[in-house]
């Protein structure tokens, strides 16, 4: 991809807060009209990266171009073309959904009429038309996040940044937001979203960049990342948990398998398999010879969870993740740009 096809180009991005190197050489290229997920544990540098890309924070080093403009030298041009949904919402709780959207429209210099029209269009688009007059404090988490998303679209941005759009939502709310993001991407908006949810990246993103400690640890489509863990996996569910260790020993001793994972709660053994037919056959034979009953045997692709654990060494949290830090995403001006 040349830079001309890219909506976002990031090269060697570095940002330090005091002694803390939050971004340490991040690279990122996002093609126009695609959804790109930046996936990483707490403290990986996701919000810092989004804030630099959205011109809210100056970086120390690196090249960053958004919608064709350098964020350092042409921030106004960038701002005119982006929308941002921060990690923490900036809605007025007492006002209705429609009033909130109108207010954002006015903030970005749409005339009163146009702001009202735009509010109605967006409420309709995100399935909030019926609840537009209700005060936001009465909204469910999913509705609130959809309203947030609507607010970040007031100015019809080319590039939309979503910082953990579904954190804290229940599965239903998450699904609602996912549909809304798909709708946007379908209409040609480039979306960069950060997430800690592997499933979210898997379901929404054309490409995924896995970050930890402020730098890339892997890039690719969900399928390419799954290939990193090694082809396919075989899951064996036993009838009796008492046989888990014995069965794992049998499976682990087969040629070309990895170390089996044992999941006691689900009576399941899971193992990487390079030659699935051979391993499937040998597993069935081995368990039968040992008199161990299997309830189910299945071949599947690795999950992104397994990829993530494999890549990050299984800590699930960046070592920096527990440090306290100020979050300034609550500034309403940070949400949308005209
Ligand atoms: N304003 C700040 N001052 C000092 N350190 C900060 C500041 N903002 C972030 N940090 C530190 O920089 C690192 C990256 O933080 P960042 O918020 O970008 O991570 P994140 O990936 O968004 O994490 P989370 O998933 O928790 O939102 C962390 O170690 C964090 O503590
Ligand atoms: Mg964050």
């Amino acid at each position: 991809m040349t830079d001309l096809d890219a909506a976002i180009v990031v090269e060697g991005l570095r940002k330090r807060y005091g002694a803390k190197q939050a971004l340490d050489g991040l690279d990122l290229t996002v093609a126009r009209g695609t959804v790109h997920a930046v996936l990483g544990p707490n403290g990986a540098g996701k919000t810092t990266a989004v804030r630099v890309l959205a011109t809210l924070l100056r970086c120390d080093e690196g090249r960053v171009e958004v919608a064709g403009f350098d964020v350092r030298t042409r921030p106004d041009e960038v701002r005119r073309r982006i929308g941002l949904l921060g990690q923490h919402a900036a809605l007025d709780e007492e006002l209705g959904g429609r009033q909130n959207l109108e207010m954002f429209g006015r903030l970005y210099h749409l005339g009163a009429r146009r702001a009202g029209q735009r509010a109605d269009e967006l409420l309709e688009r995100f399935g909030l038309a019926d609840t537009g007059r209700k005060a936001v404090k009465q909204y469910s988490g999913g509705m609130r996040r959809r309203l947030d998303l609507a607010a970040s679209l007031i100015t019809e941005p080319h590039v939309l940044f979503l910082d953990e759009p579904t954190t804290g939502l229940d599965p239903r709310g998450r699904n609602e937001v996912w549909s809304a993001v798909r709708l946007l991407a379908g209409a040609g908006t480039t979306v960069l979203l950060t997430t800690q949810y592997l499933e979210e990246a898997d379901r929404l993103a054309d490409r995924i960049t896995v970050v930890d400690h402020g730098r890339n640890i892997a890039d690719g489509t969900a399928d390419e990342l799954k290939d990193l863990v090694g082809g396919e996996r075989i899951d064996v569910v036993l009838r009796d948990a008492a046989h888990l260790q014995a069965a794992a020993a049998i499976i682990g001793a087969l040629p070309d398998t990895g170390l089996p994972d044992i999941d006691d709660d689900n009576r399941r053994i899971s193992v990487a398999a390079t030659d699935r037919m051979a391993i499937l056959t040998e597993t069935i034979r081995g368990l039968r010879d040992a008199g161990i009953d299997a309830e189910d045997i299945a071949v599947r692709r690795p999950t992104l969870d397994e990829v993530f654990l494999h890549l990050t060494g299984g800590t699930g949290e960046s070592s920096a993740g527990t440090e306290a830090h100020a979050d300034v995403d609550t500034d309403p001006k940070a949400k949308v740009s005209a």
Side-chain angles (χ1 to χ4, degrees):
M1 173 171 32
T2 70
D3 284 6
L4 282 176
D5 306 319
I8 300 172
V9 181
V10 174
E11 276 175 14
L13 181 57
R14 289 199 156 70
K15 172 71 192 178
R16 177 202 290 269
Y17 299 106
K20 174 77 213 170
Q21 193 72 45
L23 293 174
D24 193 13
L26 184 74
D27 297 318
L28 195 64
T29 309
V30 181
R32 278 179 210 281
T34 63
V35 179
H36 193 104
V38 173
L39 181 65
N42 286 128
K46 303 180 297 295
T47 297
T48 305
V50 165
R51 292 178 57 75
V52 170
L53 268 61
T55 75
L56 298 173
L57 187 67
R58 271 186 99 78
C59 65
D60 302 331
E61 265 178 69
R63 178 166 82 107
V64 180
E65 280 178 24
V66 174
F69 294 94
D70 189 307
V71 295
R72 279 209 244 205
T73 56
R74 310 288 294 282
D76 292 342
E77 296 294 338
V78 172
R79 277 179 210 136
R80 205 166 285 158
R81 292 168 175 81
I82 63 171
L84 168 64
L85 176 68
Q87 200 166 354
H88 302 280
L91 298 167
D92 187 321
E93 299 276 318
E94 302 298 326
L95 296 181
R98 188 175 188 281
Q99 285 174 299
N100 265 285
L101 293 184
E102 267 188 300
M103 190 184 73
F104 279 113
R106 297 308 297 273
L107 198 59
Y108 293 102
H109 312 298
L110 299 182
R113 245 177 76 96
R114 183 70 197 116
Q117 278 171 355
R118 188 77 185 128
D120 289 331
E121 279 165 30
L122 288 165
L123 289 171
E124 184 68 45
R125 191 148 132 204
F126 291 110
L128 294 168
D130 294 344
T131 44
R133 314 223 162 254
K134 205 152 103 170
V136 167
K137 62 182 175 198
Q138 295 169 29
Y139 277 30
S140 71
M143 286 164 64
R144 200 179 267 255
R145 220 48 187 149
R146 277 183 286 152
L147 186 64
D148 255 338
L149 206 52
S152 65
L153 290 172
I154 291 281
T155 56
E156 304 182 50
H158 300 201
V159 179
L160 181 63
F161 298 107
L162 305 175
D163 194 8
E164 299 199 22
T166 64
T167 293
L169 294 186
D170 60 18
R172 182 178 160 177
R174 203 170 288 173
N175 265 310
E176 290 173 358
V177 171
W178 288 349
S179 312
V181 172
R182 281 198 203 98
L183 206 73
L184 286 174
T189 309
T190 305
V191 179
L192 179 92
L193 67 95
T194 72
T195 184
Q196 299 185 43
Y197 299 121
L198 302 131
E199 191 194 354
E200 182 156 280
D202 205 358
R203 298 274 285 271
L204 280 183
D206 297 298
R207 293 186 72 80
I208 300 168
T209 295
V210 185
V211 295
D212 200 12
H213 302 291
R215 63 176 92 92
N216 310 45
I217 54 172
D219 296 273
T221 61
D223 272 340
E224 284 165 359
L225 295 180
K226 287 172 186 176
D227 282 341
L228 290 178
V229 195
E232 288 166 312
R233 299 189 67 89
I234 292 181
D235 280 350
V236 181
V237 179
L238 300 184
R239 240 179 249 298
D240 185 352
H243 297 139
L244 276 170
Q245 295 296 340
I250 292 168
I251 297 167
L254 298 175
D256 298 324
T257 57
L259 203 60
D261 292 329
I262 300 176
D263 173 354
D264 290 294
D265 294 340
N266 296 305
R267 288 172 280 119
R268 185 170 52 214
I269 298 161
S270 166
V271 74
T274 31
D275 181 350
R276 65 171 174 169
M277 281 318 288
I279 290 171
L280 213 48
T281 319
E282 291 301 318
T283 297
I284 293 167
R285 194 204 316 268
L287 293 180
R288 195 187 49 212
D289 289 352
I292 298 174
D293 278 340
E295 194 170 275
D296 192 22
I297 299 189
V299 181
R300 61 171 175 85
R301 297 276 284 148
T303 63
L304 270 182
D305 277 292
E306 286 161 336
V307 174
F308 195 66
L309 290 176
H310 176 82
L311 291 170
T312 58
T315 59
E317 186 168 296
S318 186
S319 57
T322 47
E323 291 166 30
H325 63 277
D327 205 312
V328 269
D329 278 342
T330 37
D331 175 1
K333 289 202 190 85
K335 286 180 55 65
V336 276
S337 292

